[in-house]
Structures are given as structure tokens and as C-alpha cells.
Amino acid sequence: MKLLLVLLLFGCSHLYAQSSLKNSMVLGEKIYLRKCAACHGKNGLGKEKRIPPLANSDYLANNQESSIRGILFGLKGEITVNGVNYNRKMKAVKLSDLEVANVMNFIQNSWGNKNKKSVTKEAVAKIRAKH
């Protein structure tokens, strides 16, 4: 009986986590379209040699904290995305910690990106506080 209860609780928490990520992504897409799509494109493809793509992005997959810092504080200096060097300034985007988490969850799980580990507002707040 205890095993059944443990399995049931695990299953419910797993479903909640999946549902929570999906909800975050829905909210994140709205933020993305309002704040990010003008530069990175509605489809996340960026602008050739000027603005890096978010679609199928090795940089995004391997540099989650740097990506969050880029949203929070802007980004300058050279980065390499999918083998192409980019060296243009990105301005900070004025978003709350929850909005940053939602937009990160959206872009990390769209256009060929797959990162099922959700970004939380607490994780964003910790990064914001460090810098």
C-alpha cells in the first residue's frame, strides 16, 4: 500500500512539473513575441551574421546562466552560436524574474531546443543578485 502511495505521489508531482513547464512556456511565448521577436525573429532564426539564432542553438543549450544574464543585463563581446561568431551588443530586457524564467522556458523548448529542466524565478533572482 505504501509503495502504491509513493508511486501515485511521484506520478502526480511529475505531471504537475510537466504542466507547470507547459504553462510557463505559454506565458513565455507571449513575452518572447512582445520583447524578443523583433530581433531574434518569430521563429528564433535571428538575423544572419548580425543576431544569433535561438533555434537549435548550441549556445543556449550549453550556457543557460549566461543566457539568463544576457536577458537581465545585456550582452556584449563575442559569442559563438552554431559555429558562427557574433559580436554585437544586446540590450538588457526589462523583465521580472518570473518573466525571464518563462521566456527562457519557452526558448529552451522551442525550435528544436530541448531542455526539460525548468528555469525558476528563484534561479533568475539568484543570478540577478550575484551581478
Side-chain angles (χ1 to χ4, degrees), residues 35-74:
K35 298 283 190 170
C36 312
C39 294
H40 290 283
K42 287 184 181 181
N43 54 8
L45 293 176
K47 294 182 181 163
E48 189 177 316
K49 296 192 182 194
R50 292 190 358 239
I51 298 174
L54 301 174
N56 293 305
S57 171
D58 61 349
Y59 182 86
L60 185 63
N62 297 319
N63 298 282
Q64 184 181 69
E65 185 171 329
S66 295
S67 298
I68 292 169
R69 281 195 320 264
I71 294 170
L72 291 172
F73 309 113

Side-chain angles (χ1 to χ4, degrees), residues 8-41:
L8 182 61
L9 288 174
F10 175 76
C12 289
S13 67
H14 181 68
L15 287 175
Y16 174 76
Q18 286 180 329
S19 172
S20 180
L21 177 58
K22 285 183 182 181
N23 291 338
S24 178
M25 289 173 60
V26 167
L27 296 170
E29 180 178 24
K30 291 176 184 177
I31 296 163
Y32 178 85
L33 291 172
R34 203 174 65 242
K35 298 283 190 170
C36 312
C39 294
H40 290 283

